[in-house]
């Protein structure tokens, strides 16, 4: 084993018997099913133009997966029901917990809604909605203490506390700790960032990791000015890497004077 942990992200609509058997036999580590709704009515609002009965197709697929895992006495894949929070579902997040229990999921996760640079702003929460949401998430967190479900409520509340404009509050260290490898060999700094750092068909990962584009990206992500510029190409709203960046910044902020001395750009002078 190479030590890789594999997560498959899906909308759950293709969880047929054959595919479920393959996922279990392959011993996939984690399956994250993204579902924006907890009922057919919510599904219709969040997926306009789609048959609301598709909601039940996802639910039945999750139940089938749970049953097949039990039959095979398999712990894997761990199944996470994931719900991006938007204006159509934020008042009903408790039902998402109920659905995760009903379908036999191992965990539930939430995420602030990413409007994709305003293209989906219609689904975003208003400021007064966020106050209601915080109360709801705190209530759900208390409930989850007595339930057999893992969750990310603390991380979700942290992302809301930092806010949508993450680049104004926190440097980004993702260029040092993560990379996204696309199926065509393109290397990107992270999932929401569409800036190519290199191509594995042409260079090794070691060469790409230490290349000029990666070095320049890392310099940019340490200042507000650099991050603001990157936001034109990277979807940094409510960044999913906030918890990791905050932990790193707690320690690395003390290295700012050293970085300023070793880089003419004064990288951390703005944070």
């Amino acid at each position: 084993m190479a030590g890789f942990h594999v997560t498959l992200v899906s909308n759950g609509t293709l969880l047929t018997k054959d595919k479920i058997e393959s996922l279990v036999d392959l011993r996939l580590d984690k399956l994250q099913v993204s579902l924006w709704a907890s009922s057919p009515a919510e599904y219709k609002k969040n997926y306009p133009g789609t048959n609301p009965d598709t909601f039940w197709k996802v639910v039945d697929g999750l139940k089938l997966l749970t049953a097949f895992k039990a039959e095979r006495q398999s712990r894997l894949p761990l199944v996470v029901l994931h719900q991006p929070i938007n204006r159509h579902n934020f008042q009903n997040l408790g039902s998402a917990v109920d659905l995760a229990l009903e379908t036999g999921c191992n965990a539930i996760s939430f995420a602030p809604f990413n409007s994709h640079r305003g293209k989906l702003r219609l689904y975003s929460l208003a400021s007064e909605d966020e106050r209601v949401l915080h109360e709801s998430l705190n209530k759900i967190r208390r409930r989850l203490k007595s339930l057999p479900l893992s969750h990310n409520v603390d991380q979700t509340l942290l992302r809301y506390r930092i806010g949508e404009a993450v680049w104004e509050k926190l440097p980004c260290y993702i260029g040092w700790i993560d990379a996204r490898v696309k199926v065509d060999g393109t290397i990107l700094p992270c999932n929401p960032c569409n800036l190519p750092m290199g191509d594995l068909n042409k260079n090794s990962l070691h060469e790409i990791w230490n290349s000029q584009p990666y070095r320049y990206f890392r310099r940019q992500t340490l200042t507000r000015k650099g991050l603001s510029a990157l936001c034109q190409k990277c979807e940094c709203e409510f960044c999913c890497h906030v918890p990791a960046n905050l932990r790193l910044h707690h320690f690395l902020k003390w290295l700012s004077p050293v970085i300023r001395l070793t880089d003419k750009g004064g990288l951390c002078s703005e944070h």
Side-chain angles (χ1 to χ4, degrees):
M1 296 296 289
F4 289 106
H5 180 96
V6 180
T7 297
L8 175 64
V9 180
S10 169
N11 63 13
T13 57
L14 299 179
L15 284 176
T16 61
K17 184 176 183 294
D18 290 343
K19 290 184 173 64
I20 285 171
E21 288 184 8
S22 296
L23 293 177
V24 174
D25 290 342
L26 288 169
R27 295 191 62 76
L28 175 72
D29 292 298
K30 183 187 292 184
L31 173 67
Q32 177 176 300
V33 175
S34 181
L35 184 60
W36 294 17
S38 302
S39 68
E42 279 186 4
Y43 197 92
K44 185 176 182 179
K45 291 179 181 178
N46 281 302
Y47 300 88
T50 302
N51 187 341
D53 288 341
T54 306
F55 171 81
W56 295 116
K57 186 177 181 181
V58 177
V59 170
D60 290 342
L62 287 170
K63 289 180 177 179
L64 186 62
L65 174 55
T66 297
F68 190 76
K69 284 169 57 180
E71 179 184 322
R72 289 290 182 90
Q73 297 183 330
S74 176
R75 186 179 63 89
L76 300 175
L78 297 177
V79 183
V80 181
L81 183 65
H82 179 70
Q83 190 164 99
I85 301 169
N86 63 52
R87 64 187 297 263
H88 295 311
N89 64 24
F90 79 99
Q91 292 180 312
N92 202 28
L93 299 184
S95 294
V97 176
D98 295 335
L99 187 62
L101 290 169
E102 178 188 342
T103 53
C105 292
N106 303 101
I108 185 164
S109 67
F110 300 102
F113 186 77
N114 187 329
S115 71
H116 296 278
R117 303 190 192 99
K119 294 177 183 176
L120 298 175
R121 185 65 66 185
L122 181 65
Y123 290 83
S124 298
L125 299 183
S127 55
E128 57 269 23
D129 294 336
E130 286 194 21
R131 288 192 289 272
V132 175
L133 173 65
H134 290 175
E135 294 177 7
S136 177
L137 285 173
N138 280 309
K139 183 178 179 180
I140 287 171
R141 179 173 55 183
R142 291 191 294 270
R143 179 189 174 194
L144 284 167
K145 288 181 180 179
S146 61
L147 296 177
L149 283 174
S150 300
H151 64 89
N152 73 337
V153 174
D154 289 333
Q155 293 91 331
T156 303
L157 286 166
L158 172 63
R159 290 170 68 182
Y160 275 110
R161 189 160 63 248
I162 294 296
E164 182 177 18
V166 177
W167 53 91
E168 295 179 356
K169 303 282 185 68
L170 195 65
C172 177
Y173 301 101
I174 204 66
W176 282 271
I177 63 173
D178 195 37
R180 176 189 175 194
V181 183
K182 296 183 68 175
V183 292
D184 64 359
T186 302
I187 299 292
L188 304 175
C190 68
N191 193 50
C193 189
N194 231 3
L195 284 172
M197 297 289 108
D199 185 344
L200 285 176
N201 297 301
K202 299 176 182 178
N203 300 98
S204 69
L205 181 58
H206 181 271
E207 291 170 331
I208 295 170
W209 189 257
N210 293 286
S211 66
Q212 186 57 38
Y214 238 127
R215 291 171 184 262
Y216 180 68
F217 174 82
R218 292 176 184 128
R219 286 198 298 271
Q220 278 192 294
T221 57
L222 289 179
T223 68
R224 289 190 185 94
K225 183 178 179 180
L227 282 170
S228 294
L230 283 173
C231 285
Q232 304 304 314
K233 299 179 180 178
C234 301
E235 295 180 355
C236 297
E237 302 171 12
F238 290 117
C239 178
C240 59
H241 299 293
V242 159
N245 277 326
L246 197 60
R247 286 195 299 272
L248 284 168
H249 190 56
H250 179 72
F251 297 101
L252 296 180
K253 63 183 178 182
W254 304 111
L255 295 178
S256 296
V258 177
I259 296 175
R260 282 198 292 269
L261 287 173
T262 56
D263 187 281
K264 295 180 181 180
L267 299 184
C268 287
S269 58
E270 294 183 78
H271 276 289

